[in-house]
Amino acid sequence: MKLLGLLYRFFRNAEFIVRIYESDTLRGHLQFENRVNRYVKEKRGVIPMSVSEIRIREANERDREAIQTLLLEAYGQYEAVFPAGGWDAYKASILASVDGEGPKARIIVEFEGEIVGSSLLFLSSEVAYGLPELEIHSPIIRLIAVSPKVRGRGIATELIKESARRALELGAATLHLHTSDMMASAVKLYEYLGFERAFDKDIQKGETLVKSYRLNLKETAILSS
């Protein structure tokens, strides 16, 4: 009888735990966590950094040279896939972004005193791209850059989470970004984190389709992790 009592309590507790894990809030958290874990496993088992190991802050003038170096390291891998002359124009554009006016936030991530990640947050397509006709009137994250030395360890995810948090604080319902097929690994991460295609906000640049993605800030589990 004592054994039966123990088994009864065990299964009641197990049933209670299952009910907890089936709650909407925790389910969303677990789905997000699983997305990130699957993404990390695909990066050959590289262990992501914990939040306690990094520092996220607003960039300042003293960070200028380090951010430029980071951008070239991060985006240099795409030089070979650009058409003739394309890389030089793109390189000039990303370097100019360090000093350009318009961003609401210039976010950086530090690890062991070194800047290993950066991104820009704009408030509209007019400010971000000079394209008011695109009619994006909510935050847009641009130029997510991660040092190759720490790639696959969750830095891009932290930049996106911080951007989403700031966008929500501004009262926004969505967070947009634009990318292209040549950045396939980045697209995979965006989709894991819950971004969905926003076809009506795509940009055609010559022969290249710059695809728009949108994150619903009211529904995402990204901020609960």
Side-chain angles (χ1 to χ4, degrees):
M1 291 297 293
K2 186 174 181 180
L3 177 60
L4 288 174
L6 289 172
L7 288 172
Y8 175 77
R9 286 196 295 273
F10 171 80
F11 284 110
R12 278 186 63 85
N13 289 337
E15 182 182 0
F16 177 70
I17 291 171
V18 168
R19 285 202 303 270
I20 291 175
Y21 272 77
E22 286 180 343
S23 69
D24 288 341
T25 300
L26 191 51
R27 187 189 299 117
H29 173 80
L30 292 173
Q31 285 174 346
F32 170 71
E33 187 174 54
N34 288 337
R35 285 180 187 139
V36 174
N37 286 339
R38 288 198 302 272
Y39 179 77
V40 170
K41 286 178 181 177
E42 289 181 6
K43 292 293 186 177
R44 298 188 293 268
V46 176
I47 301 173
M49 295 179 183
S50 67
V51 177
S52 62
E53 292 181 283
I54 62 175
R55 180 189 179 202
I56 302 174
R57 64 173 175 84
E58 189 76 13
N60 57 51
E61 180 59 32
R62 294 189 300 276
D63 302 318
R64 181 178 180 278
E65 186 175 337
I67 293 174
Q68 287 185 325
T69 299
L70 171 65
L71 286 166
L72 292 180
E73 289 178 349
Y75 285 93
Q77 64 179 309
Y78 303 113
E79 180 176 0
V81 301
F82 273 90
W87 167 248
D88 289 336
Y90 189 72
K91 175 182 175 181
S93 174
I94 60 177
L95 290 178
S97 71
V98 177
D99 300 313
E101 297 181 359
K104 176 64 176 178
R106 300 176 186 272
I107 303 168
I108 61 172
V109 177
E110 288 182 321
F111 174 62
E112 295 183 344
E114 180 182 352
I115 295 175
V116 295
S118 71
S119 64
L120 301 175
L121 190 67
F122 294 83
L123 295 185
S124 69
S125 58
E126 180 175 11
V127 181
Y129 309 117
L131 296 174
E133 64 273 20
L134 205 56
E135 295 186 342
I136 299 177
H137 304 293
S138 62
I140 299 171
I141 184 171
R142 290 198 63 198
L143 292 174
I144 301 171
V146 175
S147 170
K149 293 181 289 187
V150 295
R151 193 166 288 155
R153 299 191 63 187
I155 299 300
T157 298
E158 292 302 322
L159 286 166
I160 294 169
K161 285 170 61 177
E162 179 66 13
S163 297
R165 184 186 66 78
R166 296 192 186 200
L168 199 59
E169 287 180 350
L170 291 167
T174 59
L175 175 66
H176 283 78
L177 60 79
H178 286 80
T179 188
S180 63
D181 288 339
M182 72 175 179
M183 300 179 182
S185 60
V187 170
K188 188 176 294 186
L189 173 62
Y190 303 150
E191 291 175 343
Y192 273 138
L193 298 183
F195 281 84
E196 298 178 344
R197 284 284 278 116
F199 296 94
D200 60 321
K201 305 302 181 185
D202 287 351
I203 303 171
Q204 190 70 46
K205 285 191 173 182
E207 298 180 357
T208 303
L209 177 64
V210 184
K211 297 179 178 180
S212 177
Y213 285 81
R214 177 171 51 224
L215 180 69
N216 189 321
L217 296 173
K218 304 296 184 181
E219 297 178 0
T220 182
I222 192 173
L223 297 175
S224 63
S225 64

